[in-house]
Amino acid sequence: MRPSSDKKIFANKKGDFNMALTLQSGFSFDYDNLFGEGKVTQADLDFYKEDLKKAHEAMKVMRESGFIKAHLSKDGAPEKVYFSKLPYITEENGKLNLNSPDSIKKLHDFTEHLRNNVDAVVSLGIGGSFLGNKVLFDVFCGEFWNTWTKEKRKGLPKVYFSGQNIDPRRTGDIINHLKAMAEVTKSHEGRKYKVCLICISKSGGTLDTMSNFMVMYDEFMKYDDIDVEVVAVTDPNMEKKTLLKQLACDMNWPTFAVPDGVGGRFTVFCEVGLSTAAVIGMDIEKFLEGAKHMDEACQNDDIWQNPAMLNAALKFAAAQKHGRNIEVMMPYGDYLKSLSEWYIQLLAESLGKQFDKDGKEVCYGRTPLVAVGTTDMHSQTQQHQEGALDKVVQFIKVANWKNDLTIPNVFPNYERLAGISGVTMGEALEVARQSNSDALKSNKRFNACFTLPELNEYHLGELLYLLAMSVAYEGELANVDAFNQPGVEAYKRIMGPKLSELRKSKGL
Ligand code: PA5
């Protein structure tokens, strides 16, 4: 089962040898501190050899037909799983409301509609209808997009996110902020401020999203200096329309589709995530191309050449055989924090399951944690380094930072400050990550690293797709349905009547 060593061993800059799977693109998965003596062993993987074979077969079937054994929709009916088709832009996929040349053109047309026309977009959604969108925005726009001039944004709108909570303060703040912007526009340019509300909900009626949407829609419609347009992103089914779909039809709002067979946490590659990609003018084709090339790599029958199978197998074995059932997702870089938050949903909703596919109670699921390097080295690392032996720390590293900054020697007489000068911040960041990794390794702490050669659409597509495909593999290994989320219905069943009671008590 093990590959010839030249396939997976490379020398790092220091001349040390690390075990890693490196793709032609330069994307790599370094598992040196996760596999070997005292870590996940070859014997561990051999123990799961048959399960891995079956999981790999199941992925083949899923790719070809969308079939996943025992997967049922919320309504209890068998449901296809189509996320693995999303990287492929084909006419064929268009028939399933997945990505097609027409749908991609529609997204580009949306970008051009917004350019030099709409001042601000508010993207409203929660869970899978938010987290992936936020990753794309943070990675490609950063913190200050909304403060840039329109020219610097290439005529594209400011972007705000709402609906990911039912928080009156923040919603009120966004409303007041946009009204203030409208006042400035009126007095400087003598025109109305144009706001586009993108309301994203697959089910079409989620409380968090729809309450924010109604509050904002009402406020902006009543405000003279704001012109409102609405785009609805929801299940496109015309026979059994979602509430949002019905509303969009009645109000004549344009729509994008959340396709059947694509669960919330996999929607970053469909029109949910791509609606934000269009708003910020991201290279959608490159993003999908990265995902596609990762999907191709993940079709390899050899575990040592298949990033998703290898990642899933190592993490699964680390949990089952070594008790490492917490995964700390720790990218190095501020704007990658939302990627970690996206991953939390992916892992938690996909694998946290009480019953397996045969109805047996298993209470399975590794627990995901958000961390960011270097920030959390100053808070969580004590726990990672000396706490319970129950974690795998999964690093994400960007090898080359665009516009890296050199730390200057501005205070040469201060030895400690002079001692950190001359290197770039990107290099210092990597020294910090590497030191954290070495320290963890020295104390039997499992860790691994995904390396992106740079932070661009292509490599982000590779990484997000790899993580999505990994949980699909792990679902098969653990024999749980990675594509349902029955657990989130429990509170919803309690919340509905509670809301009705509240309305009644208010005489509504
Ligand atoms: O993964 C999921 O299915 C959930 O997190 C949903 O995305 C979330 O509840 C929002 O649902 P909807 O898009 O139907 O409003």
Side-chain angles (χ1 to χ4, degrees), residues 409-430:
N409 194 5
V410 268
F411 304 110
N413 298 333
Y414 292 77
E415 213 176 304
R416 274 194 66 188
L417 295 180
I420 59 170
S421 69
V423 298
T424 70
M425 292 187 78
E427 286 166 343
L429 183 69
E430 174 51 12

Side-chain angles (χ1 to χ4, degrees), residues 74 125-131 200-210 233-234 258 262-267 272 345 349 483-485 488 491-492:
K74 210 161 52 178
I126 192 164
S129 297
F130 161 66
L131 291 159
I200 311 175
S201 177
K202 181 176 182 172
S203 61
T206 301
L207 169 71
D208 322 59
T209 306
M210 298 313 282
V233 186
T234 189
V258 192
V262 179
R265 49 201 179 272
F266 301 91
T267 54
V272 171
Q345 187 207 19
E349 276 194 357
F483 302 100
N484 67 359
Q485 56 279 336
V488 300
Y491 79 82
K492 287 185 188 165

Side-chain angles (χ1 to χ4, degrees), residues 442-454:
S442 72
N443 201 22
K444 303 192 276 271
R445 311 288 158 156
F446 294 6
N447 63 92
C449 185
F450 297 124
T451 298
L452 277 60
E454 54 184 288

